[in-house]
Amino acid sequence: MSRGWWQHHIPGPLNEGVIEIILRLLHILKDEKGLVEMTSFVLLSWIVIMMAVAILEIFLAGSTFVAVNNTAQHALEMMRIKGRLTPEIERNFFKELEQAGINTNNVRILSATKHIAHRGEPVHLHVEAKYTIRSFRPIGIKDGFNLYWNINKTGISRMFVRDIVVSGG
């Protein structure tokens, strides 16, 4: 057996025993069906499964965003007719979100046109939605990642307000 540079740093009688242990470990690790291949297979399988779950959850997040965006667009169309955000439109907005299976605690209206906008004036709706990706828990991220979406919708009011002038006479 040839002596390598590292063998000179191990004292006398331990030298041969330690060398044998190291050589056995190296032989196990170099074996075709050894620990390295099994460990890498397990780790790569775990990573592939994690990525598949994450991709699925990101797809679900995207579909949630589309649902919130479409609901906000529908609310804006109602606002264009009424000329502002009414309590009825706001109730319908959150009711549609619930029907789509979206937790309404994660969606809020940040700002909207509250006063009556006359025909041709702009109306706006600003919605914020939150989605939490929880598929990264196995790697130690307990709370997951929060995705925040700001959805801004603008349109032109179609509300026609006629002023009636009563003349005394």
Side-chain angles (χ1 to χ4, degrees):
M1 190 182 314
S2 66
R3 294 176 55 91
W5 64 269
W6 50 272
Q7 292 174 339
H8 297 290
H9 298 289
I10 300 173
L14 291 178
N15 197 1
E16 295 300 320
V18 171
I19 291 172
E20 282 185 43
I21 292 172
I22 291 173
L23 289 176
R24 283 184 187 165
L25 286 174
L26 288 174
H27 179 68
I28 291 171
L29 293 176
K30 286 183 178 180
D31 191 11
E32 289 180 329
K33 297 178 184 174
L35 187 62
V36 173
E37 286 82 10
M38 289 176 54
T39 304
S40 61
F41 174 74
V42 169
L43 288 176
L44 288 176
S45 298
W46 183 71
I47 290 170
V48 168
I49 290 169
M50 288 292 299
M51 289 176 62
V53 170
I55 288 171
L56 177 65
E57 195 160 8
I58 289 170
F59 173 75
L60 292 174
S63 64
T64 301
F65 169 76
V66 169
V68 172
N69 188 47
N70 290 343
T71 306
Q73 184 64 40
H74 185 255
L76 180 71
E77 291 302 318
M78 298 306 296
M79 287 176 61
R80 290 179 62 201
I81 294 168
K82 298 284 186 178
R84 65 186 176 106
L85 178 66
T86 63
E88 177 187 1
I89 294 172
E90 190 170 353
R91 275 192 306 275
N92 287 341
F93 174 74
F94 287 110
K95 187 177 177 182
E96 285 182 36
L97 290 175
E98 284 178 355
Q99 289 173 348
I102 297 170
N103 185 357
T104 56
N105 294 330
N106 294 332
V107 180
R108 62 186 179 138
I109 297 175
L110 296 179
S111 66
T113 304
K114 299 278 186 175
H115 64 281
I116 294 178
H118 297 286
R119 181 181 211 102
E121 293 179 352
V123 292
H124 80 280
L125 178 65
H126 183 188
V127 176
E128 180 185 69
K130 178 178 88 168
Y131 186 86
T132 304
I133 296 180
R134 301 183 192 283
S135 62
F136 294 104
R137 283 186 180 166
I139 60 173
I141 302 173
K142 293 182 181 179
D143 296 332
F145 291 109
N146 289 327
L147 300 175
Y148 291 94
W149 299 307
N150 285 306
I151 300 168
N152 291 304
K153 299 288 183 181
T154 57
I156 304 297
S157 175
R158 293 185 278 177
M159 177 72 173
F160 183 72
V161 179
R162 181 176 291 182
D163 293 330
I164 301 175
V165 178
V166 179
S167 61

